[in-house]
Structures are given as C-alpha cells and as structure tokens.
Amino acid sequence: MKISTKGRYALRFMLDLAIYGGDEYVSLREISARQDISLKYLEQIVSLFNKNGFLKSVRGPQGGYRLAKVPEEYTVGDILRTTEGPLAPVACLETPENDCPRSSSCGTLPFWTGLYNAINDYVDSVTLADLCENQRAAGNNDFCI
C-alpha cells in the first residue's frame, strides 16, 4: 500500500487548518503558499472534505475554510480514507464482504487481514492534535490553536 500525493497533501492541508485556523477561516491561497501545493490541487481535496462534513466554509473576500470539529476529533485514518478509499493492502479486503473465490482456502489471507488491521489501528490512533504536537516537538513555532 502506498499513500498517493493526494493523501499526503490532504493530511498537510488538514494540519495547516488545525495550526492556522482555530475559529478563523483560512483562504486556500494562504494554505497553497505555506504548503507549496497548487490551488487547483487543493480545490480537489477541499471538495472531498466538504462533501464529508470535515470543513466549514465562508465565501467572499474574507472567506475560507476551517475545521468543523476540534483537531482531537479527526484521525489520520479518517483523512486518508476520505482521499484514498480503503487502506487495504490487497484488493480482496477493500470491501466488507470478501468475494474472492479463494478466500476460504487462502493461506495468505490471515497475514493480509492482520496487516490491514494493524494499518487501520495505527492510522486511527493518531489525531490531528497528535500531529500538532509533533509539529511543536520538532521545534516549529507554528502549532495548533
């Protein structure tokens, strides 16, 4: 499993909102400049998060985006699954029902299932607030509001 550029940028976008947003709305132009991500790419990411209720937005010259909830309520797993879909290491685990004709006799399925569970457990255990703390620990003066 490899996280796409969209997934990596989405995580940076959400972290930027956690750091610079708070109760304030942040423009995509500001985030684009800070994160060195094109405005067009950010617009694609924002539309995914808007559809899923992750963001609040205001239009107009003073408009922008902010998190709909506090950083502690967003997991990395939520963010990555919004942009990447299931984080399954093999195709047969991408849907709730494993419809692979070999699943009942597959000797590798328990390994893949264990790996999938480990991935989900880890990404669901890390929140945006944790990433903010990592930012602070790295000596960056910008940290979550």
Side-chain angles (χ1 to χ4, degrees):
M1 180 196 78
K2 186 175 181 181
I3 303 298
S4 71
T5 300
K6 185 181 282 186
R8 291 183 299 109
Y9 284 3
L11 199 54
R12 285 172 41 197
F13 166 75
M14 292 294 282
L15 180 59
D16 191 283
L17 281 179
I19 291 170
Y20 294 98
D23 291 332
E24 302 295 317
Y25 289 88
V26 182
S27 78
L28 283 186
R29 284 195 197 289
E30 292 173 50
I31 297 169
S32 174
R34 275 193 298 269
Q35 297 299 324
D36 195 26
I37 301 172
S38 80
L39 203 52
K40 281 270 191 220
Y41 213 107
L42 280 178
E43 288 168 351
Q44 293 174 28
I45 291 168
V46 163
S47 74
L48 290 171
F49 289 132
N50 262 340
K51 274 193 265 184
N52 288 286
F54 282 48
L55 304 174
K56 291 188 176 185
S57 62
V58 171
R59 293 180 181 217
Q62 301 302 314
Y65 298 89
R66 69 180 180 97
L67 299 177
K69 304 181 282 188
V70 295
E72 291 82 3
E73 294 182 32
Y74 294 94
T75 69
V76 170
D78 294 333
I79 295 165
L80 292 178
R81 280 188 288 275
T82 298
T83 57
E84 303 290 316
L87 301 176
V90 290
C92 64
L93 295 175
E94 289 179 345
T95 59
E97 287 295 317
N98 184 339
D99 58 1
C100 176
R102 303 188 66 174
S103 65
S104 63
S105 62
C106 181
T108 63
L109 185 58
F111 167 77
W112 296 122
T113 301
L115 178 59
Y116 185 41
N117 291 337
I119 290 167
N120 282 313
D121 289 347
Y122 181 66
V123 298
D124 289 336
S125 74
V126 179
T127 67
L128 269 182
D130 296 325
L131 297 181
C132 289
E133 186 54 39
N134 292 347
Q135 189 91 347
R136 186 182 338 235
N140 191 322
N141 291 333
D142 297 324
F143 47 87
C144 298
I145 295 172

